Every structure is written in structure tokens, then in C-alpha cells.
Amino acid sequence: MLPSKIPAHSRSVRSYDLITPAGRIYRFPPPSLLQQLLRWALAHAETVAISAAILALIYVAGFAAEALDRSGFDACNDGGRRVG
């Protein structure tokens, strides 16, 4: 069954209000651009770290494969027949 009302898009926050159990109200200003970027970076830090680790492993595997490939051909060429 589909919902009868379409949820409204979130609005930008102008200020934060904190109401304590005693009834006091504290108003906080909206987050700055730097705070918003820091919050976004912290939210995506795990994904970025995993992606960087995977890319590093692929890079290292490329060097290892290249080194193993060369050493295999070098071993075959060293033991060859000499004509002469």
C-alpha cells in the first residue's frame, strides 16, 4: 500500500534549539560550511579508507606480478643451450 502523503523534502536548518528538562531553551547557530564538510567527510571516511586500501592492493599486486613475470623469463633464459 502506498503512503497517502508524499514526504516533504528536508529544509535547511537555520538554528538548533535545545530544550532541557527544566524548560530552559538554548539556541545554537547553524553549522558553518567547514563544519558541514567535516561532518560529510567523517560520514564517508570508512568508504574512502576501504577504497584507498583496495587501490593500494591493486597497485602493489601489479608490481608483484611484473616482478614475478620477469624473474620467470630470466630463469628460463639463463639455462639455455649455447651454440658454438
Side-chain angles (χ1 to χ4, degrees):
M1 180 179 209
L2 295 173
S4 60
K5 289 179 77 176
I6 297 174
H9 294 289
S10 61
R11 292 177 279 167
S12 62
V13 176
R14 294 185 184 160
S15 66
Y16 292 108
D17 295 337
L18 175 69
I19 302 172
T20 64
R24 298 182 77 183
I25 298 175
Y26 294 97
R27 292 191 185 273
F28 296 95
S32 67
L33 180 61
L34 180 61
Q35 290 171 333
Q36 290 175 2
L37 291 174
L38 183 63
R39 186 178 303 132
W40 181 87
L42 289 175
H44 293 86
E46 183 178 349
T47 304
V48 170
I50 291 171
S51 298
I54 290 171
L55 287 175
L57 287 173
I58 291 170
Y59 190 70
V60 169
F63 278 123
E66 188 175 316
L68 290 174
D69 190 35
R70 284 188 191 149
S71 66
F73 285 123
D74 290 344
C76 292
N77 290 334
D78 289 343
R81 272 189 304 194
R82 293 186 182 181
V83 177

